[in-house]
Amino acid sequence: MVATIAAGDPIRLVWRNDLGGRTYRLDRSGHTEYVKWAPDHPEIDLEQEARKLAWAGRYTVVPEVLGLGRDTDHSAWLHTLGIPAMPAVAPRWKADPRRAARAIGTGLRMFHERLPVSECPWSWRIRDRSTRIRNPDDMALLDVVPEEDHLVVCHGDPCVPNTLIGPDGNCAGHVDLGSLGVADRWADLAVATYSLPWNYSPAYEDELLDAYGIERDGDRISYYRRLWDAT
Ligand SMILES: Nc1ncnc2c1ncn2[C@@H]1O[C@H](COP(=O)(O)OP(=O)(O)O)[C@@H](O)[C@H]1O
Ligand SMILES: [Mg+2]
């Protein structure tokens, strides 16, 4: 399918995820496009991701959906227009992790401020995520739920590679919105900071929180990281 969409233009594999999914970049003349391809898996729903991209794109910069489909071999694909920026995990930004961490923090703040909670059809709140807790030992997390600090539309997977940074060092957009939904802002902040050491050294967690404009809340960070790991 990727070759059909590319129609002879160069195709480059840019990303592989843990669930067997792959993302390809198509180099058109003057712009890029991306095709996200995924085998059928209960945790992947590209149709839902396409709906979320279309909704979020009314308020902030996310990939514009060009097409969506299924192949006969139990896989699906999502074709988007490229955002002209590099993921925060690109060598350019790994070499400048302080600046990248700040761009992620500012970008997340922007995302939370722009997307309207009252209009958002999806939830990422604890009770709605709890159905995905697999290990019975982790169910105890639901007994000690922290009070919500501030409800926003969360990105849902704010790991380093899902923020795009422009040449000026500012956040240029977000990708990978399959889990987007309303939740406490700490659900996103806990994971955004959690993912820094997986990609950068040192991790600059405090830079990210400072750029977001918030004081570290150790209890909520630790709760939402455990929930992330459990789901
Ligand atoms: N429309 C797009 N514009 C720019 N980069 C994109 C676009 N779509 C995907 N990418 C790049 O491909 C990578 C993988 O896409 P993503 O949707 O995050 O897949 P996954 O769910 O496997 O993490 C992203 O980190 C980003 O670098
Ligand atoms: Mg991603």
Side-chain angles (χ1 to χ4, degrees):
M1 190 60 210
V2 182
T4 309
I5 296 171
D9 285 334
I11 302 172
R12 180 187 289 238
L13 174 64
V14 294
W15 182 257
R16 278 174 194 276
N17 67 32
D18 297 340
L19 302 175
R22 292 180 225 142
T23 300
Y24 300 88
R25 191 184 72 216
L26 312 181
D27 293 317
R28 305 297 198 193
S29 51
H31 74 280
T32 60
E33 294 171 16
Y34 286 79
V35 181
K36 184 166 172 172
W37 175 92
D40 286 348
H41 186 283
E43 284 179 38
I44 304 176
D45 185 347
L46 295 183
E47 271 182 49
Q48 176 79 310
E49 181 166 348
R51 281 191 286 273
K52 292 183 176 187
L53 287 171
W55 180 79
R58 289 153 56 182
Y59 310 102
T60 192
V61 181
V62 299
E64 181 185 331
V65 178
L66 298 176
L68 171 77
R70 294 197 46 78
D71 284 334
T72 45
D73 62 345
H74 306 286
S75 64
W77 50 269
L78 171 64
H79 177 200
T80 59
L81 188 61
I83 296 170
M86 280 192 275
V89 76
R92 164 75 182 86
W93 297 115
K94 277 189 160 174
D96 195 354
R98 185 173 182 278
R99 188 122 182 246
R102 295 200 68 87
I104 295 169
T106 313
L108 197 55
R109 179 74 187 221
M110 194 169 74
F111 194 93
H112 290 170
E113 283 182 353
R114 287 181 176 174
L115 278 62
V117 170
S118 61
E119 306 287 317
C120 181
W122 303 282
S123 165
W124 200 47
R125 292 169 91 164
I126 296 166
R127 59 170 178 265
D128 299 302
R129 294 171 69 186
S130 64
T131 51
R132 298 180 70 171
I133 295 179
R134 287 172 292 241
N135 184 337
D137 295 344
D138 291 325
M139 292 304 277
L141 274 171
L142 303 174
D143 302 335
V144 287
V145 168
E147 204 183 306
E148 280 166 343
D149 167 39
H150 182 59
L151 280 184
V152 296
V153 177
C154 278
H155 177 285
D157 186 1
C159 298
V160 171
N162 293 332
T163 296
L164 303 181
I165 305 182
D168 60 357
N170 292 318
C171 172
H174 292 92
V175 298
D176 211 353
L177 301 193
S179 296
L180 172 146
V182 172
D184 185 16
R185 58 186 170 179
W186 285 102
D188 262 356
L189 283 164
V191 176
T193 49
Y194 203 15
S195 85
L196 292 175
W198 307 337
N199 298 279
Y200 305 139
S201 168
Y204 292 110
E205 282 190 39
D206 291 337
E207 291 284 349
L208 189 157
L209 294 173
D210 183 64
Y212 184 94
I214 202 164
E215 294 276 321
R216 165 178 285 272
D217 180 334
D219 290 343
R220 288 194 176 93
I221 286 180
S222 129
Y223 179 86
Y224 283 107
R225 285 182 182 178
R226 280 182 288 134
L227 183 62
W228 175 263
D229 288 337
T231 54

